Amino acid sequence: MTEQAKKQLEVYRTMILSGKKGMSDPEEEQAQQDIIAILNGEEPVLDREMRESAISHYLGRPQLTDDEWLELEKEVRQFIEDEGLSLDDLGAFAHDAGETLTMVCNGIRYEKEKDRP
């Protein structure tokens, strides 16, 4: 698998697991790690103001809509097919992000089907 394909999978993984559009910036990621550190009784890296600003920015990013979830599922499937990636290539992506994407999209399709007269 190419480095570009690995990077693209990480973009998809981040979107799927967060349910938000786009990638977290490094400050958002550090703020999340700092919260875990605080919960573990460790020292955070960012000061409180920076941490709160980064978390606010993260929380302010829009969630994926139902239609965007379904479109993301198509895009990910097409990417995997175009790249010729195997289950071994996908590794952890298939087990966490792939399963999450499938569950979310199946739930959306179920709700849409249920709402049809």
Side-chain angles (χ1 to χ4, degrees):
M1 179 175 5
T2 66
E3 281 303 310
Q4 184 63 27
K6 287 179 185 177
K7 287 179 185 177
Q8 186 60 46
L9 277 179
E10 188 57 31
V11 169
Y12 289 142
R13 183 179 185 279
T14 300
M15 288 177 63
I16 292 165
L17 295 179
S18 72
K20 294 185 175 286
K21 297 177 186 178
M23 289 287 290
S24 296
D25 62 38
E27 199 168 86
E28 288 174 0
E29 290 177 18
Q30 184 60 57
Q32 291 171 22
Q33 291 175 7
D34 280 3
I35 290 171
I36 293 167
I38 291 167
L39 292 172
N40 289 328
E42 301 165 2
E43 278 296 308
V45 173
L46 300 175
D47 66 40
R48 184 180 183 136
E49 187 176 307
M50 288 179 69
R51 192 170 51 249
E52 288 176 355
S53 174
I55 293 298
S56 291
H57 184 260
Y58 170 79
L59 294 173
R61 279 193 290 129
Q63 295 282 356
L64 293 168
T65 66
D66 287 354
D67 289 337
E68 288 170 332
W69 274 108
L70 297 174
E71 187 58 38
L72 180 59
E73 180 184 44
K74 288 179 193 173
E75 186 179 326
V76 169
R77 288 180 191 273
Q78 188 63 51
F79 174 78
I80 290 169
E81 186 177 306
D82 290 350
E83 291 290 321
L85 302 176
S86 69
L87 194 54
D88 286 339
D89 292 330
L90 295 173
F93 177 88
H95 294 292
D96 57 13
E99 289 179 6
T100 299
L101 181 60
T102 299
M103 285 188 328
V104 168
C105 291
N106 284 344
I108 291 168
R109 282 189 283 275
Y110 173 79
E111 288 299 320
K112 285 186 176 215
E113 190 65 34
K114 190 173 82 172
D115 291 342
R116 287 189 183 156

